[in-house]
Amino acid sequence: VPSIAYRCGGVLDIIEDQKNGLLVEPDNVPALAEAIVKLARDKRLILELGEKARQMALERFVPEKIQEEIQTAFSNYSFLNLSRVSRT
């Protein structure tokens, strides 16, 4: 199922406008309503965006890839170097 969201924050890392969902400007309720109606009237667009969203999810959110990203993120933080922790 394709998503409709405001164009802000972390959602921009997941939804690509007109590729796997629809994005509208923040707090633009008329644009949000228009996007909802657009999908409701176009079953082909629902299927197309939905399939692309599914493909992206299967590629980006597999457990092995998430584990690798988490390990990389933690290894980049110097505060995890316990030898630098003051012991009093």
Side-chain angles (χ1 to χ4, degrees):
V1 175
S3 297
I4 301 170
Y6 285 127
R7 186 185 314 271
C8 62
V11 76
L12 298 175
D13 294 330
I14 299 170
I15 299 175
E16 294 181 60
D17 192 31
Q18 304 293 325
K19 292 184 180 179
N20 63 356
L22 300 175
L23 295 172
V24 297
E25 294 305 316
D27 301 321
N28 188 337
V29 176
L32 180 60
E34 184 178 317
I36 292 168
V37 170
K38 179 178 181 173
L39 280 184
R41 291 184 176 163
D42 191 343
K43 291 189 185 234
R44 180 199 55 77
L45 185 60
I46 290 173
L47 293 173
E48 181 181 314
L49 295 178
E51 180 57 29
K52 288 180 181 174
R54 180 181 176 280
Q55 289 172 355
M56 185 274 302
L58 290 173
E59 291 169 6
R60 290 182 59 190
F61 299 111
V62 293
E64 296 82 12
K65 188 163 186 172
I66 293 171
Q67 178 184 2
E68 180 182 311
E69 290 175 6
I70 290 172
Q71 287 175 328
T72 299
F74 276 108
S75 68
N76 289 333
Y77 288 108
S78 63
F79 72 85
L80 291 177
N81 184 348
L82 297 179
S83 65
R84 296 178 64 190
V85 175
S86 173
R87 297 173 198 230
T88 52

